[in-house]
Amino acid sequence: MFKRLFASRKRPYVTGINPPERVSVSLSGCQLELTLPVHFRSDGFEADLEPTDIPDIYPSNVYNYGHPEPQPFSYAFCIRRNWEYFGPIWRGRCLGGTSFHASCLRIDCLPKGMSCFNPAHLEQVILRYLYDIGPGMPDRRKQVAPVNWRVEEKQGNLWVLFESHNLLDPSKEEEGGDANFETFAVTAIDDGYLLFLTFDNYGYLPVSEAVENINKVRDLVCGSIHWTLSDTLAARKKTVLQQYPNATISSERDPEPWVYPTKWRYGNSEKGEPEFVIEEPSSPEPEFKI
């Protein structure tokens, strides 16, 4: 309560963080442990999904979330919860919030012979994913990604952290929605599967303060991760790394120089068209290279 009394935009009070909760889930025998703020939504809704094991990540029906057609990327969630950020005590409403998801991400667009255990292949998967939520979704606000790319090792496993931000017009004043951004932390589970942590954030102004403070919670969560592969998947990882002993991943990356389409339309599924039909040139989707 003391921290709540002295909360501000520069030092917001984070619900559920005092004390946070240590949780764990199992995905096909792989074990994830991490520390999360306790779920909180001021509208009273319960967490969408408290920590839930996924005994087998491979059946296709685990990934059916209302998509009748195959998707390049499909999610099987194991944790979904929210927390909020509050400023001065006299401001009743929250400043912003985070919707956190932990999931198994299945990559159906990955060519045969490629593996997420290969650092170079993992980097390509991430760039393709960011393209799909960037220029690949022209009905969404233009994005800048990857932002703040960094690579870490945890318990001998490669993790990649990165962000996707709204493209801001420097000639305009900041406004509502500008501070909304997504942060990700990912590691390989199997050749075509990733453990995917997503922080879907809605922030406040100024944008720089919101991003800095919201990312402090991300850092708390990611700094607490303990991830252990099953014996079978640890052996598969070892085989892949032996096959590609010189494979590397970029330690730093600048945002992609995407060109968004200026003319597009929604596709007609009855005619076999994709979700979006691009009618003027734009950045093509990244090609996978073995």
Side-chain angles (χ1 to χ4, degrees), residues 20-23 32-37 152 154-155 197 217-227:
E21 180 185 11
R22 190 70 177 171
V23 302
L32 170 67
E33 297 179 14
L34 73 172
T35 299
L36 296 174
E152 299 181 355
K154 301 178 185 292
Q155 297 81 48
L197 308 185
V217 181
R218 182 274 315 271
D219 291 341
L220 167 71
V221 173
C222 292
S224 75
I225 290 171
H226 191 280
W227 170 245

Side-chain angles (χ1 to χ4, degrees), residues 11-210:
R11 293 178 179 172
Y13 172 77
V14 184
T15 57
I17 205 168
N18 189 26
E21 180 185 11
R22 190 70 177 171
V23 302
S24 64
V25 289
S26 174
L27 295 84
S28 280
C30 304
Q31 195 72 24
L32 170 67
E33 297 179 14
L34 73 172
T35 299
L36 296 174
V38 177
H39 171 79
F40 177 87
R41 280 183 56 165
S42 53
D43 55 17
F45 281 92
E46 299 293 331
D48 292 335
L49 181 66
E50 285 291 12
T52 303
D53 295 341
I54 304 178
D56 188 351
I57 65 172
Y58 301 104
S60 59
N61 61 3
V62 173
Y63 300 87
N64 290 341
Y65 281 91
H67 298 296
E69 301 297 329
Q71 302 291 309
F73 301 94
S74 301
Y75 302 88
F77 295 103
C78 55
I79 308 172
R80 298 178 72 176
R81 60 169 54 174
N82 302 75
W83 47 86
E84 296 178 356
Y85 308 87
F86 286 86
I89 191 71
W90 58 84
R91 187 186 193 279
R93 295 178 58 189
C94 65
L95 295 170
T98 294
S99 178
F100 171 78
H101 309 140
S103 64
C104 177
L105 187 74
R106 188 180 72 190
I107 302 98
D108 289 326
C109 58
L110 191 67
K112 186 176 181 180
M114 297 187 72
S115 172
C116 291
F117 285 131
N118 178 325
H121 295 173
L122 174 60
E123 184 169 358
Q124 293 182 56
V125 168
I126 292 171
L127 294 179
R128 171 60 191 277
Y129 177 86
L130 289 173
Y131 174 89
D132 276 22
I133 65 171
M137 297 182 67
D139 62 341
R140 187 173 184 245
R141 185 165 173 175
K142 292 181 180 180
Q143 299 292 294
V144 178
V147 176
N148 296 328
W149 174 282
R150 73 176 192 255
V151 177
E152 299 181 355
E153 186 174 295
K154 301 178 185 292
Q155 297 81 48
N157 299 299
L158 178 69
W159 282 81
V160 188
L161 283 70
F162 52 95
E163 301 165 26
S164 179
H165 291 217
N166 289 325
L167 177 62
L168 303 183
D169 186 342
S171 67
K172 295 183 179 180
E173 290 187 7
E174 295 179 352
E175 57 186 17
D178 284 352
N180 297 351
F181 69 105
E182 293 175 288
T183 299
F184 308 90
V186 306
T187 191
I189 301 178
D190 201 348
D191 294 329
Y193 297 82
L194 295 177
L195 173 58
F196 213 75
L197 308 185
T198 304
F199 301 77
D200 192 359
N201 309 296
Y202 63 96
Y204 53 92
L205 303 181
V207 172
S208 58
E209 284 187 7

